[in-house]
Amino acid sequence: MSRLFEPLMIGNLHLENRIIIAPMCQYSAEEGRATDWHMIHVGHLALSGAGLMILEATAISPEGRISPHDLGLYSDDDEAALARVLKAARTYSSMPIAVQLSHAGRKGSSRAPWEGGAQLRPDEPMGWKTLAPSPVPHSEAEDVPLALDASGLDRVRKDFVEAARRAARLGLDGIEIHGAHGYLLHQFLSPLANRRHDEYGGTLENRMRFPLEIFDAVRATFPADRPVWMRISATDWVPGGWDIDGTVTLAKALESRGCAAVHITTGGLSPAQAIKIGPGYQVPYAQRVKAEVGLPTIAVGLITDPEQAEAVIANGEADAVSLARAMLYDPRWPWHAAARLGARVHAPKQYWRSQPREYKDLFKDTSYGQR
Ligand SMILES: Cc1cc2nc3c(=O)[nH]c(=O)nc-3n(C[C@H](O)[C@H](O)[C@H](O)COP(=O)(O)O)c2cc1C
């Protein structure tokens, strides 16, 4: 019996298996609005048999976008455009879909990666002045962000709340708050980016304050029977930066506030990061959080092989695995993993006839006939 294909509860949300499609920016939106690309992308991943899909980093405000092409959830038009994509996906798939709500902070106003990914300065077309905990740029040569004052913090809180309301109306099954990869909330956590002297800077307790306030505000807004959780970078990979001890403390604080899970990644805050990369390189961080906190814990990062994913779950290192690049490379990864591990997946009826002879029981609930 495959452990990877055992069901999992995240709060009240039932996942049919423990494979999660990691959030992946597509840089293909127009003024925050999902396009036909999202219809194709979300549509085909919804047929993959994964237990949950987390939609890409979705900005809570125009200045919270990473690039001018990011998905957003800050206007009625954004909401309507995403509703169209979700309606299509739901017509053909019962896979739960969550959204990752995000504010890029000082890493906003960037070109898309395929345009080089460099910062767009505020005076360039499509660029804007970025916001951050402190006037410290992501890298030295970049434009200095504007430090958020009390009214700026209030604006960000309200924008998260408004986006959570829109997510609720869209029937999204969960919200992942983006607290990782060097974006705004991670900037508050890390002493490398947060140089504040008020109640939001200095001690660990103070640096966690704003991310926890955002969690509380989103949790209070989103329907209580649907889960809210956070993605956290467990280390900056820079001496003196955010680290795994802080991550464990944060995860415990989140748990006491009703957080349903933690999604453990690393890095993204500093160009000085020295990452030790390799298969499953972030899993030990998830393992430590799971062991010390006990919240449902999602591991991510170079998990590409079904047996590797199975071992992460079977060894109790994490409760679920999330896959990004492997899902793009092989959008039927969960089908192929089920075949390798002797498990079963749901596939759309239109594709039932593709079931290979040697895996006669691969697809669940099939019934097929012909005259
Ligand atoms: C195309 C692409 C877009 C990504 N966009 C996001 C994102 O929107 N939010 C996020 O938290 N991580 C994002 N990531 C990081 C992935 O979610 C994941 O953590 C990382 O790729 C490592 O997992 P992998 O080895 O399975 O690809 C992105 C990765 C890729 C490849």
Side-chain angles (χ1 to χ4, degrees), residues 142-191:
E142 292 185 352
D143 184 62
V144 176
L146 205 63
L148 286 158
D149 60 11
S151 75
L153 292 174
D154 203 40
R155 180 78 258 152
V156 175
R157 269 186 227 103
K158 287 189 172 129
D159 288 340
F160 265 101
V161 164
E162 194 49 41
R165 260 192 213 119
R166 293 185 188 279
R169 278 202 294 268
L170 286 168
L172 283 156
D173 297 291
I175 291 179
E176 173 170 288
I177 298 173
H178 201 344
H181 298 166
Y183 298 114
L184 184 68
L185 301 184
H186 185 180
Q187 290 158 30
F188 272 87
L189 295 172
S190 175

Side-chain angles (χ1 to χ4, degrees), residues 166-314:
R166 293 185 188 279
R169 278 202 294 268
L170 286 168
L172 283 156
D173 297 291
I175 291 179
E176 173 170 288
I177 298 173
H178 201 344
H181 298 166
Y183 298 114
L184 184 68
L185 301 184
H186 185 180
Q187 290 158 30
F188 272 87
L189 295 172
S190 175
L192 303 177
N194 183 342
R195 309 272 171 80
R196 297 176 76 101
H197 299 291
D198 61 2
E199 71 268 38
Y200 293 102
T203 62
L204 174 61
E205 190 187 357
N206 281 358
R207 283 180 280 117
M208 294 193 323
R209 191 179 311 279
F210 191 60
L212 289 173
E213 283 178 5
I214 296 298
F215 176 82
D216 288 344
V218 170
R219 181 57 288 176
T221 306
F222 202 55
D225 59 347
R226 290 189 243 166
V228 178
W229 66 92
M230 193 177 279
R231 196 172 216 208
I232 310 171
S233 279
T235 173
D236 288 343
W237 298 104
V238 179
W242 177 252
D243 61 13
I244 181 65
D245 293 334
T247 302
V248 168
T249 307
L250 175 64
K252 284 183 179 160
L254 285 166
E255 184 189 29
S256 71
R257 295 161 123 93
C259 183
V262 275
H263 193 169
I264 301 298
T265 175
T266 69
L269 185 105
S270 164
Q273 63 188 11
I275 305 184
K276 293 192 194 90
I277 210 151
Y281 67 107
Q282 297 175 148
V283 174
Y285 293 98
Q287 185 176 13
R288 179 148 167 222
V289 174
K290 178 173 159 60
E292 293 192 28
V293 185
L295 272 175
T297 304
I298 306 162
V300 67
L302 285 181
I303 300 169
T304 53
D305 183 72
E307 283 78 12
Q308 177 198 12
E310 175 71 19
V312 169
I313 308 299

Side-chain angles (χ1 to χ4, degrees), residues 7-17 51 94 96:
L8 173 69
M9 295 301 289
I10 295 188
N12 291 329
L13 184 64
H14 179 265
L15 275 56
E16 207 173 285
N17 57 55
S94 59

